[in-house]
């Protein structure tokens, strides 16, 4: 397909596609004439992945570039590429405070307690520590033991989720892993927020000050 | 405290604090002299909330302004303010595609099935629809029934979480609700990503190509 067809198939404007091409986020099509190239399904998939990382994960173009480099680098194993892509999904930030050092130590204890195969320098450790620091500064003195009972379920679900990744070629497998990680994360977060809105209605009452009867809606 | 003290207490530079003051995100201190003002704990809490919304939720300053307006508007109930704050945490985006219309209809069916008290125009519906669209475009044909069994647990957890919000004054209660929503969401997402890294190690093998023995680490 021409660039116009890629635009229709992906829902992204031609100008934006040309920008992705210039920035190296999107691989070039097969040149068919001066200033004309043919694009295929691999381009459609890649544009959708870029949009998901931009819109759902709020990543910068630089971070997206790192995720895509991991997806495309055939020299590293799928497992290592998955780790690199996960790390790129955790934004850089100043993490030098003493409160942060305490949080990262607490995360290490949690990882050991659950015997998680999470790399010592995995970005996801920082992500959990970021949340701990923010909550503690706001006087939610969160202890990670509150999550202990959830982890067996979370591990079982993660194994099922990865088993759903189609056993196609390496790039498609990586693309599906990344988009599944982000997409399901946003879905799960949305479900949690819906539950919070429902609980707020139960606790604080509806818009007109009506108080719900006890327990209604949770049966 | 002076602005320097607020900077130490919040870990945010004086220049950035002045920017928040100019943008109206942070309320003015009590003027004590020309170009000098006194700040208190309410300022420290507000700066931490702004940082959490910037760093953890990746919100724009405009969206943060909308969250803070809901926190501060005493004319609306706590429940309504919670809804407004939640809506501001869902970024604006073009949602005009037919795939999106299908997703939003699927979300409505899910909300009705679980009798959730989620407003018809709640931003969290768009958030879940965004995730559905991205996953479906990537050929993860997600059906929301896969989340049915999780919702009773999610509702019970949300009720517990809101019961932890300290029964202090309205603004502190709202600030704690917002930071709890975001902070716990990031924590839960991080735990899910850790589970995925662990599952990836089990499925695709470790860095040196070692294959784990079946089921190891999940006991």
């Amino acid at each position: 397909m021409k660039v116009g067809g890629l635009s229709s198939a992906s829902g992204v404007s031609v100008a934006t596609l040309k920008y992705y091409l210039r920035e190296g986020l999107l691989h070039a099509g097969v040149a068919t004439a001066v200033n004309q190239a043919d694009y295929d399904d691999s381009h459609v998939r890649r544009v959708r992945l870029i949009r998901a990382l931009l819109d759902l994960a709020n990543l910068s173009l630089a971070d997206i570039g790192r995720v895509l480099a991991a997806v495309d680098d055939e020299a590293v194993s799928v497992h290592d590429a998955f780790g690199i892509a996960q790390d790129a999904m955790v934004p850089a930030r100043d993490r030098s405070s003493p409160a942060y050092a305490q949080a990262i130590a607490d995360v290490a204890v949690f990882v050991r307690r659950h015997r998680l195969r999470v790399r010592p320098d995995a970005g996801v450790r920082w992500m959990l520590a970021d949340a701990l620091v923010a909550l503690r500064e706001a006087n939610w003195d969160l202890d990670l033991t509150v999550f202990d009972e959830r982890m067996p379920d979370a591990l079982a679900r993660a194994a099922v989720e990865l088993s759903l990744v189609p056993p196609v070629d390496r790039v498609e497998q990586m693309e599906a892993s990344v988009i599944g990680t982000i997409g399901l994360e946003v879905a799960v977060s949305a479900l949690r927020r819906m539950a919070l809105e429902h609980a707020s209605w139960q606790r604080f009452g509806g818009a007109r000050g009506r108080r719900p009867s006890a327990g209604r809606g949770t049966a």
Side-chain angles (χ1 to χ4, degrees), chain A residues 126-165:
Chain A
W126 311 339
M127 181 179 170
L128 182 53
D130 289 344
L132 278 182
V133 169
L135 287 165
R136 287 172 178 173
E137 285 183 343
N139 292 321
W140 289 71
D141 192 11
L142 191 69
D143 184 316
L144 286 174
T145 55
V146 301
F147 296 116
D148 281 350
E149 52 154 351
R150 291 197 197 194
M151 280 314 283
D153 264 6
L155 287 165
R157 280 199 192 108
V160 170
E161 202 174 302
L162 278 194
S163 76
L164 297 175
V165 173

Side-chain angles (χ1 to χ4, degrees), chain A residues 81-113:
Chain A
F82 188 73
I84 294 167
Q86 283 228 30
D87 289 350
M89 286 190 264
V90 179
R93 160 179 324 170
D94 176 22
R95 296 183 169 97
S96 57
S97 72
Y100 186 79
Q102 177 60 53
I104 203 82
D106 292 346
V107 170
V109 169
F110 182 85
V111 167
R112 278 198 300 274
R113 183 162 68 243

